[in-house]
């Protein structure tokens, strides 16, 4: 069987660089693709003085193209400052891989978005965010669009898992339409908290369940 992938893509798919996770990373993110339901997690450590990415690892539940892009972007980002790494585009990643089939472009976009989200997570945790937008229900909704509902394989907003969101004086309350003892309740709750708690003006995040 011949694959529509070139040798570079296949080589990165078979021997991905920087695969795995980092324990207690300085920044991390998990992003899912609405196009295919796949997910990518990315972990990074940053030198606080130089803001250079000293270590970076990724895990992918995506296809060969996604794994190859994850591999190449970790290679491109390692040793770069966070500002330089933020500018890496999916086009650069695709070029470094010698090109990807057009139907697989969203897979490399997902990998790049995850890298940017992990950098953003580092910046938020370290007070490096310059654009301080007030947290509103819209901001929270946008963030929750990045939290997967594993029951459906799409995000928790699109699948109507969120019944209510309120934001007042830095306290965020989120009501989820699931029984508290559901097998995915804890995972969804911690993913949601992780996405919200780093916002600069958020003091507390409470996630409750309808039953
Ligand atoms: Fe889902 Fe490639 S098809 S990441």
């Amino acid at each position: 069987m011949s694959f529509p992938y070139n040798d570079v893509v296949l080589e990165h798919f078979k021997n991905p660089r920087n695969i795995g996770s980092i324990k207690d990373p300085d920044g991390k993110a998990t992003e899912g693709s609405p196009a295919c339901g796949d997910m990518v997690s990315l972990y990074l450590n940053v030198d606080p003085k130089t803001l250079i990415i000293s270590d970076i690892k990724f895990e992918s539940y995506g296809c060969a193209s996604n794994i190859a892009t994850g591999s190449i972007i970790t290679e491109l980002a390692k040793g770069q400052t966070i500002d330089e790494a933020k500018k890496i585009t999916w086009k650069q990643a695709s070029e470094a891989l010698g090109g990807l089939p057009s139907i697989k472009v969203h897979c490399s976009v997902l990998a790049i978005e995850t890298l940017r989200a992990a950098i953003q997570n580092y910046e938020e945790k370290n007070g490096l965010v310059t654009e301080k937008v007030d947290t509103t229900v819209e901001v929270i909704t946008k963030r929750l669009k990045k939290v997967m509902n594993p029951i459906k394989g799409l995000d928790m907003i699109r699948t109507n898992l969120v019944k209510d969101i309120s934001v007042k004086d830095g306290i965020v309350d989120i009501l989820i339409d699931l029984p508290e003892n559901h097998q995915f309740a804890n995972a969804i709750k911690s993913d949601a908290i992780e996405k919200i708690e780093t916002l600069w003006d958020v003091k507390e995040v409470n996630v409750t369940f309808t039953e």
Side-chain angles (χ1 to χ4, degrees):
M1 180 179 170
S2 74
F3 289 100
Y5 290 126
N6 67 45
D7 289 346
V8 186
V9 176
L10 282 177
E11 205 279 315
H12 275 270
F13 167 53
K14 288 182 192 157
N15 304 296
R17 326 296 195 261
N18 305 308
I19 198 99
S21 61
I22 297 175
K23 197 166 176 280
D24 301 324
D26 296 333
K28 66 171 177 173
T30 297
E31 297 277 312
S33 164
C36 64
D38 287 324
M39 288 172 81
V40 178
S41 295
L42 199 136
Y43 309 82
L44 40 92
N45 280 340
V46 178
D47 180 321
K49 288 204 184 84
T50 58
L51 296 183
I52 284 175
I53 298 175
S54 55
D55 199 7
I56 179 164
K57 292 218 172 347
F58 81 104
E59 294 169 313
S60 166
Y61 309 95
C63 63
S65 167
N66 184 265
I67 292 168
T69 315
S71 173
I72 202 89
I73 60 164
T74 55
E75 285 209 309
L76 292 172
K78 201 168 184 173
Q80 302 264 303
T81 65
I82 53 172
D83 278 342
E84 287 164 347
K86 264 192 272 186
K87 291 184 194 128
I88 298 171
T89 63
W90 67 264
K91 273 196 178 152
Q92 268 173 285
S94 171
E95 273 164 27
L97 286 169
L100 285 167
S102 55
I103 196 168
K104 291 288 178 185
V105 161
H106 77 268
C107 319
S108 59
V109 172
L110 173 61
I112 291 288
E113 278 177 356
T114 314
L115 170 64
R116 290 185 187 157
I119 294 171
Q120 191 182 10
N121 176 253
Y122 173 79
E123 289 177 328
E124 287 180 355
K125 285 205 298 199
N126 290 279
L128 297 173
V129 178
T130 42
E131 249 180 70
K132 292 194 167 161
V133 179
D134 287 350
T135 296
T136 59
V137 172
E138 286 71 35
V139 171
I140 302 290
T141 305
K142 205 168 153 203
R143 292 246 160 167
L144 294 182
K145 278 187 185 160
K146 307 271 184 188
V147 177
M148 274 282 182
N149 170 359
I151 307 159
K152 303 251 173 84
L154 283 170
D155 72 79
M156 58 194 297
I157 295 294
R158 205 180 296 245
T159 55
N160 294 323
L161 207 53
V162 179
K163 277 289 148 227
D164 193 44
I165 300 169
S166 71
V167 184
K168 195 164 182 276
D169 302 330
I171 298 177
V172 178
D173 289 292
I174 302 165
L175 179 64
I176 296 180
D177 191 11
L178 268 186
E180 199 169 357
N181 60 2
H182 188 281
Q183 59 166 329
F184 293 128
N186 269 335
I188 292 171
K189 179 175 176 173
S190 57
D191 276 5
I193 292 175
E194 203 180 286
K195 287 274 191 284
I196 310 295
E197 69 184 356
T198 52
L199 286 163
W200 72 279
D201 55 349
V202 168
K203 298 184 198 123
E204 195 179 312
V205 186
N206 303 309
V207 176
T208 50
F209 298 90
T210 44
E211 291 170 48

